[in-house]
Every structure is written in structure tokens, then in C-alpha cells.
Amino acid sequence: MTSLPSRRRLLATGAGAALGLGVAASTATSARASAGRVESGGAEETRSLDELYQAALAEGGKLVIYAGGDVSSQADGLRNGFKSRFPDIDLTVVVDYSKFHDVRVDNQLATDTLIPDVVQLQTVQDFVRWKQERRLLAYKPAGFSQLYAPFKDPHGAWVAVQVSAFSYMYGPAAVGSDVPSGPLDLAEARWKGKIASSYPHDDDAVLYLYTLYVEKYGWDWLARLATQDLQFARGSFTPREAVSSGQKAIGIGGSGAPLATGPVKWVLPAEAPFMAWGQRAAILKQAKNPTAAKLYLNWRLSVEQQKAATNGWSVRTDVTPPTGLKPVWKYPNANLDGFPRFMADRAAIERWKQTFALYFGEVKGDPSPGWLGLHPGA
């Protein structure tokens, strides 16, 4: 056993120290000074994408995005789509776990070394805090009025650019006619050794999915699931990889498209809980390339891009989902409202994490994006 502090403690104390030394006092003073004053994003953007593109080129033609995710290749579709439409913009998308990106941005702000123009993260609670700290540029992209109300800050501090959802999944070839009827089935003996999962105590969205399961099926269910020899890995992409490769029959805690066909069936349950949220994005007030950042938000929220959503769900109320789907806010079991509340209570989250560690053991392995350091994308 080593006497060195755990990495989790180092992250917590290191980030706290950086913030405490650099910005705690100024943040408190700023919050008091700005009390009662709310910045407004004004009217919606009226410039076309082409007009914004030319303005972004005149600004310098660069854009840096910090995006939450598991591996860099997850952003290839975004990179290729944006570069195809705006080829002369020098785009950098840095993918890392949101829980690393947020403290990275905090540290960069504290040390006056900010790199990203746009933050696009799963840690929805950070956008509330950053707004209170007056770190975000109030801005309303074109189509702002058509966004589902909980998917936007009313003053334009942030918007959700995509819908993400986590559930369980299975391989049709692996399960045959023995399709699990719901999460409750996954604790049955016939699935022992056949399940892959991302660690619930490593990713807050997966954590929320597991808490929903426990609240519905009970601790006895979780105790039985813990005896199933689950294959755990870091990164919510790993359950799908395990199922698509035929390594495992079932995956828990990953995203997917409910209408997709292929080697993996992502389950959109009729009654069992799943979890969905709007992935928030914002322009940092100190961004070096604010016009390019505005171009990005307008492009992501355009009807064309929203219709092309890979999972079929849009953040816009005027984009009809494909036949067979309802807008995501029409699914009560998606727990859309519950996730932001869950993410805001950090003390409760820590208790949930440590409890799941008692059942499943500590998180093991390096983060799937690697260790990116303080200033990736510089």
C-alpha cells in the first residue's frame, strides 16, 4: 500500500488550491458587485452562416473547442462537418472527460492562460457557476427562440447543442431470442460474465443512470448485479465496443441511436428509466476568437445540422424527429429535469460514487483520452 494521496484527492485539492489562490476572493467580490445585474444576450443573431464565416476569417480564422468525450476520434464527425462547410477556419477540437476540462478551464482562467473559445461539456452545473462568475458571453444564436426552454439559459449564457442519452444495449446476434426485458433482467444468472459497463463512479452521467436503476430496483438488485462479473472500463464508449466486437452480449452506460440497426441495439425503454440531457455549450467571455465561436454555435443549432442528429433527437422544438420517435422531452422516463438537479448536488454525487465503489471496486486504468495536461490545444 502506498502512502501517497490518491489521484482523486490530488485533483480535488489541486484544483481547489489553484482556485483558492487565484480567484476565490475576486470571484466572491465579483459576485457581490454583480448581484442583481443580469447580462442579456440581446436579440437573436441575424447574420447568415456565410456572413459569420467571413467575419470569423477577418477576426483571424481560428477556433478552439474543449469538448467532453472519451476519445479524440469521437469528434471526427464534428471536425469533418465543420471543415467541409468552413474550410478556411483553423479548427481545433480537444476531447477529454468533462470533469477534467472544467477544472482545466478554471485553472487557465486563474492563471490568465485561457485556450478554448467554446466549452461543450457534460458537467451542466459548471455553466450555472460560470454564468454567476460572469465568465460566459451572453449570446443568442439564430434559432434561439426555437430551442426547448430547459435547453438554454434565458439570457443566452449557454445553449444545448445536442441531445445525449445513456441506457443499456445488447448484441442481437449474441442474445438471439433471449432479449432482456429491462435492466432488472441483467442481474439474472444467465447474463453472468456477459456484461460490459462503464464505471458509474467515474462518469457522472453513467452514475445518474445507475442511481435511477437503484432507486427503481433496489439495493438487492445492485448486489446481485455486482456478482455478475461485469467487465468495467473507463469511458462511456467502452460498453458499445465490447458488444459490437462480440466480446460481451450486454452493455450498460453508453449512448446510442434508438432507431439504428446493426451489431448493437441501444434500448429506448418504454417504462424503465434511462437518462438524457442537453449537452451544453458556451462562449467564454475571454475567448480570443468570439466570432468564430458564434459561427460554431449558429452552425450546430441550424435546422440542417439538427436534422442530421445521429440519435434522431434535436434540441429544437421545430425539428420533427424521425418516424418512431418523439421529442426527447416527451419521454418522462428520460429524466431530463433530474440530471441538472443531480449534477448540482456535488456532496450527494460523492456519496453515490463511494457507495458504488463498495459494490464494484475502485476505478482502474488511465483515462481513455490520455493525460492532456494543463493547456491542450495551445
Side-chain angles (χ1 to χ4, degrees), residues 9 27 41 48 51 63 75 88 109 128-130 158 186 192 258 266 276 293 301 306 330 336 362:
R9 287 175 56 200
T27 296
S48 69
E51 289 171 330
L63 176 62
D88 295 325
L109 289 169
V128 178
R129 173 174 61 85
W130 283 329
W158 55 265
L186 304 184
K192 187 167 186 175
W266 186 87
L301 294 177
Q306 289 296 306
K330 296 286 188 180
L336 275 178
E362 283 289 348

Side-chain angles (χ1 to χ4, degrees), residues 261-283:
T261 59
V264 181
K265 172 61 177 175
W266 186 87
V267 177
L268 173 59
E271 296 181 359
F274 71 106
M275 65 83 57
W277 74 99
Q279 187 85 325
R280 296 180 182 181
I283 302 171

Side-chain angles (χ1 to χ4, degrees), residues 45 47-63 82-91 139 291-296 298-299:
E45 179 64 75
R47 288 173 290 180
S48 69
L49 289 177
D50 288 333
E51 289 171 330
L52 284 166
Y53 181 27
Q54 293 305 313
L57 291 175
E59 178 185 66
K62 295 181 180 294
L63 176 62
F82 189 86
K83 290 294 290 183
S84 175
R85 181 66 175 83
F86 312 109
D88 295 325
I89 298 292
D90 180 7
L91 173 68
Y139 174 68
T291 307
K294 292 176 180 179
L295 171 65
Y296 174 74
N298 281 270
W299 175 71

Side-chain angles (χ1 to χ4, degrees), residues 283-304:
I283 302 171
L284 290 159
K285 189 179 288 187
Q286 294 175 231
K288 299 181 181 69
N289 307 291
T291 307
K294 292 176 180 179
L295 171 65
Y296 174 74
L297 292 187
N298 281 270
W299 175 71
R300 285 301 308 270
L301 294 177
S302 67
V303 170
E304 179 184 16

Side-chain angles (χ1 to χ4, degrees), residues 279-346:
Q279 187 85 325
R280 296 180 182 181
I283 302 171
L284 290 159
K285 189 179 288 187
Q286 294 175 231
K288 299 181 181 69
N289 307 291
T291 307
K294 292 176 180 179
L295 171 65
Y296 174 74
L297 292 187
N298 281 270
W299 175 71
R300 285 301 308 270
L301 294 177
S302 67
V303 170
E304 179 184 16
Q305 285 300 305
Q306 289 296 306
K307 285 184 176 179
T310 55
N311 61 15
W313 283 314
S314 171
V315 297
R316 295 180 61 126
T317 60
D318 58 346
V319 173
T320 304
T323 302
L325 288 182
K326 300 178 290 187
V328 70
W329 49 85
K330 296 286 188 180
Y331 296 87
N333 56 331
N335 297 281
L336 275 178
D337 296 333
F339 185 56
R341 290 195 301 269
F342 178 79
M343 292 291 279
D345 190 344
R346 305 312 297 175

Side-chain angles (χ1 to χ4, degrees), residues 1 7 67 82 115 128 156 191 212 361:
M1 294 291 290
R7 182 175 165 278
F82 189 86
I115 301 300
V128 178
W191 300 119
L212 292 172

Side-chain angles (χ1 to χ4, degrees), residues 105 109 114 116-119 135-137 282-287:
V105 168
L109 289 169
L114 185 66
D117 305 298
V118 173
V119 282
R135 296 295 193 182
L136 305 180
L137 181 69
I283 302 171
L284 290 159
K285 189 179 288 187
Q286 294 175 231

